């Protein structure tokens, strides 16, 4: 209708660079029924691989995943004529981030299942200096073996995965770059909270005081940046991603350049199948 076209035109103007940032105020956007709704109460659907499950009331899922998809299907959506980027600029929520955040409004420390998590200090320059200390090549494997020993492991396995995995149902579209060949390392130990803190504290000497530590845990781990800009690992019930440049992970910032995701018993594997292939 003419009214809808006028509203969409105003929305485009509000989202244009010359009107950004907008002053603190409530922005209203049309939903799928053309009703005007406060933007932050709306979701825009950037999870097309879940469309059938959402439209069908979660028949394709079960258990907790069904409950979450059912909750998502009841949320009001931005009108399909509004681009995702425009909707985000004006305050609407990404369904992808809503699912990842488990009903949280933003990525912040203290969320129930997902929290901002990453390595501290001035990362890119510090990592550059560390990589100068760790030559590229077989020495990186040695560092990973040392890390396994630090964690108390008695078994270590290396797998070179040459597969190109799907790139649609990811935590963020920018993660597509990391769906190709990967070096997978397994050990039979589990990180303690102290281990995780040591990995996040680049250059920490805390581990050097431990008599049974053969490797410099926090430093040695960083040798993996010879292989990737976004290393990840699973320990216990958590999956951790690091993104020092804050360019690839959703919600990553210079202060919190990573994510720690509680996935055991949750539905992330079903909601983001390509990411966890």
């Amino acid at each position: 209708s003419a009214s809808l076209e006028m509203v969409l035109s105003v929305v485009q103007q509000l989202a244009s660079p010359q009107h950004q940032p907008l002053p603190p105020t409530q922005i209203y956007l049309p939903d799928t029924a053309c009703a005007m709704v406060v933007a932050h109460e709306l979701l825009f659907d950037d999870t097309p691989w879940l469309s059938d499950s959402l439209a069908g009331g979660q028949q394709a899922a079960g258990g907790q995943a069904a409950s979450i998809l059912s909750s998502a299907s009841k949320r009001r959506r931005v009108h399909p004529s509004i681009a995702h980027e425009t909707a985000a600029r004006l305050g609407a929520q990404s369904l992808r981030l809503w699912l990842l955040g488990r009903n949280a409004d933003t990525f912040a420390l203290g969320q129930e299942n997902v929290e901002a998590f990453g390595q501290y200090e001035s990362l890119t320059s510090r990592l550059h200096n560390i990589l100068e200390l760790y030559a590229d090549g077989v020495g990186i494997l040695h560092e990973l073996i040392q890390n396994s020993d630090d964690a108390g492991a008695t078994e270590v396995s290396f797998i070179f995965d040459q597969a190109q995995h799907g790139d649609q149902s990811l935590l963020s579209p920018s993660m597509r770059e990391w769906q190709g060949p990967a070096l997978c390392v397994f050990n039979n130990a589990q990180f303690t909270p102290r281990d995780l803190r040591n990995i996040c504290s680049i250059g920490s000497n805390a581990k050097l005081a431990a008599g049974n530590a053969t490797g410099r845990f926090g430093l040695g781990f960083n040798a993996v940046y010879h292989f990737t800009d976004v290393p990840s690992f699973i320990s216990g019930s958590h999956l951790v991603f690091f993104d020092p440049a804050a360019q690839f992970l959703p919600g990553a910032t210079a202060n919190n350049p990573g994510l720690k995701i509680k996935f055991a018993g949750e539905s992330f594997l079903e909601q983001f199948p390509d990411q966890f292939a």
Side-chain angles (χ1 to χ4, degrees):
S1 68
S3 297
L4 176 61
E5 290 181 6
M6 181 176 65
V7 168
L8 294 176
S9 178
V10 171
V11 166
Q12 286 295 118
Q13 287 297 315
L14 290 175
S16 61
Q18 60 264 35
H19 290 97
Q20 296 290 322
L22 292 170
T25 186
Q26 285 191 332
I27 302 294
Y28 286 78
L29 298 175
D31 67 3
T32 53
C34 296
M36 299 300 290
V37 181
V38 177
H40 66 76
E41 296 180 2
L42 294 171
L43 294 176
F44 58 88
D45 188 356
D46 54 351
T47 60
W49 64 91
L50 290 177
S51 296
D52 292 340
S53 297
L54 291 169
Q58 85 272 358
Q59 286 96 341
Q64 187 177 35
S67 175
I68 292 169
L69 292 178
S70 177
S71 178
S73 67
K74 296 174 183 176
R75 295 291 303 270
R76 299 173 80 168
R77 305 300 172 83
V78 173
H79 194 279
S81 296
I82 299 177
H84 294 169
E85 182 179 0
T86 298
R89 284 183 179 178
L90 297 180
Q93 300 179 67
S94 157
L95 176 57
R96 192 188 307 238
L97 297 187
W98 183 87
L99 290 170
L100 184 59
R102 282 292 188 275
N103 299 313
D105 291 331
T106 60
F107 285 93
L109 289 168
Q111 292 187 125
E112 181 179 357
N113 293 327
V114 179
E115 61 184 90
F117 188 81
Q119 295 170 299
Y120 318 123
E121 302 182 16
S122 180
L123 287 185
T124 52
S125 59
R126 180 62 176 141
L127 288 171
H128 175 78
N129 294 333
I130 290 174
L131 290 179
E132 292 292 327
L133 301 175
Y134 292 90
D136 195 0
V138 70
I140 300 173
L141 305 184
H142 183 234
E143 292 298 331
L144 294 173
I145 293 172
Q146 287 187 327
N147 279 349
S148 299
D149 181 74
D150 288 347
T154 59
E155 177 185 347
V156 182
S157 299
F158 292 87
I159 299 174
F160 180 43
D161 178 8
Q162 301 184 61
Q164 182 70 42
H165 298 285
D167 60 6
Q168 297 303 309
S169 51
L170 303 177
L171 299 179
S172 169
S174 55
M175 292 291 285
R176 289 172 179 163
E177 188 172 338
W178 309 107
Q179 289 298 97
L183 176 65
C184 304
V185 185
F186 164 83
N187 68 60
N188 61 348
Q190 182 172 319
F191 285 161
T192 66
R194 183 184 179 187
D195 292 333
L196 293 175
R197 287 195 299 271
N198 284 339
I199 288 179
C200 288
S201 182
I202 298 178
S204 170
N205 292 322
K207 281 297 279 89
L208 299 180
N212 63 342
T214 62
R216 291 176 292 177
F217 198 81
L219 279 175
F221 171 82
N222 294 293
V224 301
Y225 287 106
H226 277 299
F227 291 153
T228 180
D229 290 343
V230 186
S232 61
F233 60 86
I234 294 172
S235 187
S237 60
H238 288 91
L239 168 65
V240 172
F241 289 95
F242 288 143
D243 180 12
Q247 292 182 350
F248 303 100
L249 289 174
T253 65
N255 291 329
N256 292 300
L259 286 178
K260 183 171 71 172
I261 300 172
K262 182 180 179 183
F263 72 91
E266 304 298 332
S267 55
F268 287 99
L269 300 183
E270 300 171 36
Q271 293 170 4
F272 300 97
D274 288 343
Q275 188 70 73
F276 302 113

